[in-house]
Amino acid sequence: MSASEAASVTVSARHFDGRSARAHSVCLRFSATGVVVEGEAGEWPLPAGEFSVSEALGATPRSLTLADGQSFEVGDVAALARGLRLLGRREAAVTRWQQSWRGVGAALAATVLLVLVAYQWGLPALSRGLAAAAPAALSEHLAQQTLAFLDRGLTRPSRLPEARQAALRAKAQQWFPPAAGGPAWRLQFRASALGPNALALPNGEIVLFDALVELAEGDEQVLAVVAHELGHVAARHGLRQLIQSSLVGFIAGAYLGDVSVLVSGLAAALLEAGYSRDFEREADAYAVARLRALGQPPQLLATMLQRLETAHAAAAGEVAEEAAGDTASDRQTGWGGLASHPETAERIARILADR
Amino acid sequence: MSAAALNHYEILGISPEADAEAIRAAYFARLEAFRERLSAPQPDDGERLVLLRQAFATLSDAGRRAAYDAGLFPVASRSMSEPAQPAAIPAAPIGPADRERLQFTGSGSEYFRIWIVNLLLSIVTLGFYSAWAKVRREQYFHRNLQLAGAAFAYHGEPWAILKGRGIALAALMGLSLAQSMGPLAYGVAICGFALAMPWLMIRAFRFRAFNTSYRGLRFGFAASYGEACRVFLGYGLLALVTLGLAFPLFYRRLRTFVIDHLRYGTTPFSCAVGVGVIYRIFVTPGLLTVAALFALLLFAAPLLAAGTAGKVAFSGLLALLPLALYLFVLAYVPARTANAVWSASRLGEHRLQCDLPVAGYFAVVVGNWLLIVATLGLAIPWARVRMARFRAEHFALAVSGSLDDFVTGEQARVAALGDEAAELFDLDVSL
């Protein structure tokens, strides 16, 4: 910076008196002692402490504003920056950051990294903590609501013989006694047009659809599914899904909401699907561990997954139009829906490899 | 002073035959060159920037360009400029030289730098900093919006915005708490919310208007609570009980309510858009919806009876028809209503003009979506700039007399509560 440049800087500006929209062309002469306005009507000083300057934002025009509403609009922001430097005014740190390409590159990298870390670990950890701290009454309330919702049309009372239900309950009691360290649970049976499925509610209620029991070859396979659902209950996946999907929805809305509700909704759905896959894997691993502790082969669960996949593929054509009619069911079955996930082959491979 | 000797075409480095697109391209290329030089500026940059803006302001407007050409090329002007823009001049019923178009001078890469830094700070502070981010966004888009060579400005304060968000969040939580306490508490809360809504809307419009200025004068908004109630609750309920048949009536009342209570300095805005015009706009999407429903009902039985292929076709129809309808309405309604409402509005003696093309608007909206989806959101700054530029290009003020004659009245500080509450409740209050 040369000595002559440091003495004074003159910037052309448009002066508005704040009382009318009339513009007056003036020059602002910056020096170390202050600012002098040079206009048609003569010169007058602008003491350094008495005006505020709008933030530098790229090449956008900036304004010097006085407390009484007068303002000076400056188009040549580079000259203004030099003038302000003469006065000893420094730009705020954030403003300088926005101006530096290197800083912007670092911000981009940090943002991408932070978002990935928050999605992969931060949000799941937060929801785990919140779900663990949630009162049992909340789980009870949510479970009752879901069950009531199902019973309003999606499910009907089970058509399985009482004896079969009782036998399954007794065997489940034997395999997964409440005292064995797992979560408290209760088996419910329902008939449903949604096909073979099972779901776990946050309070430990496990709902088995008749079609799933009929699909199984023997009680052991049904109990393998119960073990999987117990995994959801043990890790409080119901509550966690609720917390994570609300947070993801809120964040996607804040980020993309002004673009389009459709785009932000799609983004949220995609991100939630990722979490739901993680929950399924976690529940599979839990089921494998419980089965192994009982001396039962994990193949029970793998076989059942395969049968569910086949059954749903066969039924897909028939129920397509019905499913399209009630989108609300997706969210509910997502809580424990077994075969509602396309990556069944990968899950089966994982279960069988886990030995 | 060497630059002053050049004519507008020489300043932009284009030939006098250049079309509107070439003028725009040259202008933005030169503007970009200025931006890149920001760190090593030259002494006469300011003057040259002013000349550049003047050149673009003149040449980008068909009427003003014709007048300028006539002075520049006394003999050749007729044959040269008339074939290029034959329709634009007679279309305007007032003197074309008095038409001031809005211009948006921001650039995507420039806004990206501001956006990404503020996004990071917002994430790190768990959203707290987003009020500052919002102020910068508003400032960037206001200050890059120019009319007749002067820029708009935004004066909202981050702390005011933050306070408004806090109160809005508390209200939302109160609402959901009431919901869990039972139907009676929820009903009471909803009624309270409905009564507070008109007040919130007034505050939102006031905040936005008061914090916007142009040529050193603030905009303003003043309306009575009673009148807001009539619009939001009265007409809103009417639209509801008539199953949407009265919705255009409600919509028109909403738009005129906002514009009629808006002022610049002491000069009021006014809107005289007719009910018939608004009904005609909404009748097309309405009829299309009915037609789509009929088509679905008509095709349902034969397709569902035609086996698996028919069922697949019907599922496709069920998914695609609403999507197509949504995409159409998405561009058609905002563009047509903006044109109708703004072109029927005035600011004092001056008429406003808005001529958004539906197809162009659709291309910008859907193009922006695709861009944003393909870049996982990183192209948001470019998308916003693109939309701002498109809207500005299709908005003009037909100046009658001089823009210098506006004056100010009493000004008062306005809290941000309404603005932020309205944003959080997802109500569009953009003007």
Side-chain angles (χ1 to χ4, degrees), chain A residues 8 10 43 63 93 95 105-106 111 149 156 165 223 232 250 275 277 281 287 296 302 317 328:
Chain A
S8 80
T10 304
E43 294 192 2
S63 288
T95 311
T111 304
F149 172 81
R156 287 177 298 282
Q165 293 186 23
L223 292 180
H232 284 313
F250 180 78
Y275 283 141
R277 272 197 299 277
R281 283 201 203 101
Q296 296 291 337

Short mmCIF file of all heavy atoms in Angstrom, two decimals, chain A residues 8 10 43 63 93 95 105-106 111 149 156 165 223 232 250 275 277 281 287 296 302 317 328:
data_model
loop_
_atom_site.label_atom_id
_atom_site.label_comp_id
_atom_site.label_asym_id
_atom_site.label_seq_id
_atom_site.Cartn_x
_atom_site.Cartn_y
_atom_site.Cartn_z
N SER A 8 -5.70 9.78 1.63
CA SER A 8 -7.16 9.93 1.57
C SER A 8 -7.72 9.15 0.40
O SER A 8 -7.02 8.85 -0.57
CB SER A 8 -7.53 11.41 1.44
OG SER A 8 -7.38 11.83 0.11
N THR A 10 -11.27 9.03 -2.12
CA THR A 10 -12.54 9.68 -2.46
C THR A 10 -13.45 8.68 -3.16
O THR A 10 -13.04 7.97 -4.07
CB THR A 10 -12.28 10.89 -3.38
OG1 THR A 10 -11.36 11.76 -2.72
CG2 THR A 10 -13.57 11.63 -3.65
N GLU A 43 -19.15 21.54 1.51
CA GLU A 43 -18.57 20.41 2.22
C GLU A 43 -19.04 20.38 3.66
O GLU A 43 -19.27 21.41 4.27
CB GLU A 43 -17.03 20.54 2.23
CG GLU A 43 -16.41 20.43 0.86
CD GLU A 43 -14.89 20.28 0.95
OE1 GLU A 43 -14.35 20.21 2.08
OE2 GLU A 43 -14.26 20.22 -0.09
N SER A 63 -24.35 0.98 2.12
CA SER A 63 -24.87 2.27 2.55
C SER A 63 -24.24 2.71 3.86
O SER A 63 -24.04 1.89 4.76
CB SER A 63 -26.39 2.21 2.73
OG SER A 63 -27.02 2.14 1.49
N ALA A 93 -15.10 -10.55 11.45
CA ALA A 93 -14.41 -11.78 11.06
C ALA A 93 -15.25 -12.58 10.07
O ALA A 93 -14.74 -13.10 9.08
CB ALA A 93 -14.11 -12.61 12.31
N THR A 95 -17.45 -11.49 7.97
CA THR A 95 -17.46 -10.82 6.68
C THR A 95 -16.20 -11.15 5.89
O THR A 95 -16.25 -11.45 4.70
CB THR A 95 -17.53 -9.29 6.89
OG1 THR A 95 -18.57 -9.02 7.81
CG2 THR A 95 -17.78 -8.59 5.59
N GLY A 105 -13.91 -22.56 0.97
CA GLY A 105 -13.62 -23.97 0.73
C GLY A 105 -13.61 -24.75 2.03
O GLY A 105 -14.19 -25.84 2.12
N ALA A 106 -12.99 -24.17 3.07
CA ALA A 106 -12.95 -24.82 4.37
C ALA A 106 -14.36 -24.96 4.94
O ALA A 106 -14.72 -26.00 5.50
CB ALA A 106 -12.07 -24.03 5.33
N THR A 111 -18.85 -28.19 6.48
CA THR A 111 -20.30 -28.39 6.48
C THR A 111 -20.65 -29.81 6.05
O THR A 111 -21.44 -30.49 6.72
CB THR A 111 -20.97 -27.38 5.52
OG1 THR A 111 -20.59 -26.06 5.92
CG2 THR A 111 -22.47 -27.50 5.57
N PHE A 149 -55.14 -47.18 16.08
CA PHE A 149 -55.13 -46.80 14.66
C PHE A 149 -55.26 -48.04 13.77
O PHE A 149 -56.04 -48.08 12.84
CB PHE A 149 -53.83 -46.05 14.36
CG PHE A 149 -53.63 -45.77 12.89
CD1 PHE A 149 -54.26 -44.70 12.29
CD2 PHE A 149 -52.80 -46.59 12.12
CE1 PHE A 149 -54.08 -44.45 10.94
CE2 PHE A 149 -52.62 -46.34 10.77
CZ PHE A 149 -53.26 -45.27 10.18
N ARG A 156 -57.97 -56.71 11.93
CA ARG A 156 -59.18 -57.25 12.56
C ARG A 156 -58.72 -58.29 13.58
O ARG A 156 -57.55 -58.67 13.59
CB ARG A 156 -60.07 -57.91 11.50
CG ARG A 156 -60.78 -56.93 10.57
CD ARG A 156 -61.58 -57.66 9.51
NE ARG A 156 -60.74 -58.48 8.65
CZ ARG A 156 -59.99 -57.98 7.65
NH1 ARG A 156 -59.99 -56.69 7.40
NH2 ARG A 156 -59.23 -58.77 6.91
N GLN A 165 -52.66 -69.81 19.34
CA GLN A 165 -52.18 -68.58 19.98
C GLN A 165 -51.56 -68.88 21.34
O GLN A 165 -50.47 -68.41 21.66
CB GLN A 165 -53.32 -67.58 20.15
CG GLN A 165 -53.88 -67.03 18.86
CD GLN A 165 -54.91 -65.94 19.08
OE1 GLN A 165 -54.91 -65.29 20.12
NE2 GLN A 165 -55.77 -65.73 18.10
N LEU A 223 -41.00 -67.67 16.26
CA LEU A 223 -40.29 -67.13 17.42
C LEU A 223 -39.02 -66.39 17.01
O LEU A 223 -38.59 -65.47 17.70
CB LEU A 223 -39.97 -68.26 18.39
CG LEU A 223 -41.22 -68.82 19.05
CD1 LEU A 223 -40.85 -69.95 20.01
CD2 LEU A 223 -42.00 -67.75 19.79
N HIS A 232 -36.14 -54.71 18.38
CA HIS A 232 -36.68 -53.35 18.22
C HIS A 232 -37.10 -52.79 19.58
O HIS A 232 -36.85 -51.63 19.89
CB HIS A 232 -37.89 -53.36 17.29
CG HIS A 232 -37.54 -53.51 15.84
ND1 HIS A 232 -36.56 -52.76 15.23
CD2 HIS A 232 -38.06 -54.31 14.87
CE1 HIS A 232 -36.48 -53.11 13.95
NE2 HIS A 232 -37.38 -54.05 13.71
N PHE A 250 -37.72 -31.86 10.30
CA PHE A 250 -37.58 -30.44 10.65
C PHE A 250 -36.36 -29.83 9.96
O PHE A 250 -36.43 -28.74 9.38
CB PHE A 250 -37.44 -30.31 12.17
CG PHE A 250 -37.29 -28.90 12.64
CD1 PHE A 250 -38.40 -28.07 12.73
CD2 PHE A 250 -36.05 -28.39 12.99
CE1 PHE A 250 -38.27 -26.76 13.15
CE2 PHE A 250 -35.91 -27.08 13.40
CZ PHE A 250 -37.02 -26.27 13.49
N TYR A 275 -32.06 -44.65 8.19
CA TYR A 275 -32.15 -44.99 9.62
C TYR A 275 -32.92 -46.29 9.81
O TYR A 275 -32.57 -47.11 10.65
CB TYR A 275 -32.84 -43.86 10.38
CG TYR A 275 -31.96 -42.67 10.64
CD1 TYR A 275 -32.45 -41.38 10.54
CD2 TYR A 275 -30.62 -42.85 10.99
CE1 TYR A 275 -31.64 -40.29 10.78
CE2 TYR A 275 -29.80 -41.75 11.23
CZ TYR A 275 -30.32 -40.47 11.13
OH TYR A 275 -29.52 -39.41 11.38
N ARG A 277 -33.17 -48.79 7.85
CA ARG A 277 -32.31 -49.94 7.52
C ARG A 277 -31.39 -50.28 8.70
O ARG A 277 -31.20 -51.43 9.05
CB ARG A 277 -31.45 -49.62 6.29
CG ARG A 277 -32.10 -49.96 4.99
CD ARG A 277 -31.06 -50.00 3.88
NE ARG A 277 -30.39 -48.72 3.70
CZ ARG A 277 -30.87 -47.73 2.97
NH1 ARG A 277 -32.04 -47.86 2.38
NH2 ARG A 277 -30.22 -46.60 2.83
N ARG A 281 -31.07 -53.87 10.81
CA ARG A 281 -29.82 -54.60 11.02
C ARG A 281 -29.57 -54.85 12.50
O ARG A 281 -29.19 -55.93 12.92
CB ARG A 281 -28.65 -53.81 10.45
CG ARG A 281 -28.57 -53.92 8.96
CD ARG A 281 -27.18 -53.58 8.48
NE ARG A 281 -27.29 -53.17 7.09
CZ ARG A 281 -27.28 -51.89 6.71
NH1 ARG A 281 -27.10 -50.93 7.59
NH2 ARG A 281 -27.42 -51.58 5.45
N ALA A 287 -31.55 -60.52 17.39
CA ALA A 287 -32.25 -61.80 17.25
C ALA A 287 -31.26 -62.95 17.14
O ALA A 287 -31.43 -63.99 17.79
CB ALA A 287 -33.16 -61.75 16.02
N GLN A 296 -30.37 -72.17 19.27
CA GLN A 296 -31.15 -72.25 18.03
C GLN A 296 -30.34 -71.66 16.87
O GLN A 296 -29.60 -70.70 17.06
CB GLN A 296 -32.45 -71.46 18.18
CG GLN A 296 -33.39 -72.00 19.23
CD GLN A 296 -34.00 -73.35 18.82
OE1 GLN A 296 -34.06 -73.68 17.65
NE2 GLN A 296 -34.41 -74.12 19.83
N ALA A 302 -33.29 -66.23 8.95
CA ALA A 302 -32.95 -66.04 7.54
C ALA A 302 -34.00 -66.68 6.65
O ALA A 302 -34.47 -66.07 5.68
CB ALA A 302 -31.57 -66.63 7.26
N GLY A 317 -48.37 -57.44 -6.85
CA GLY A 317 -49.29 -57.06 -7.91
C GLY A 317 -50.71 -56.91 -7.39
O GLY A 317 -51.41 -55.97 -7.75
N ALA A 328 -50.83 -44.00 4.97
CA ALA A 328 -50.57 -43.89 6.40
C ALA A 328 -50.02 -45.20 6.95
O ALA A 328 -49.32 -45.21 7.95
CB ALA A 328 -51.85 -43.52 7.14
#
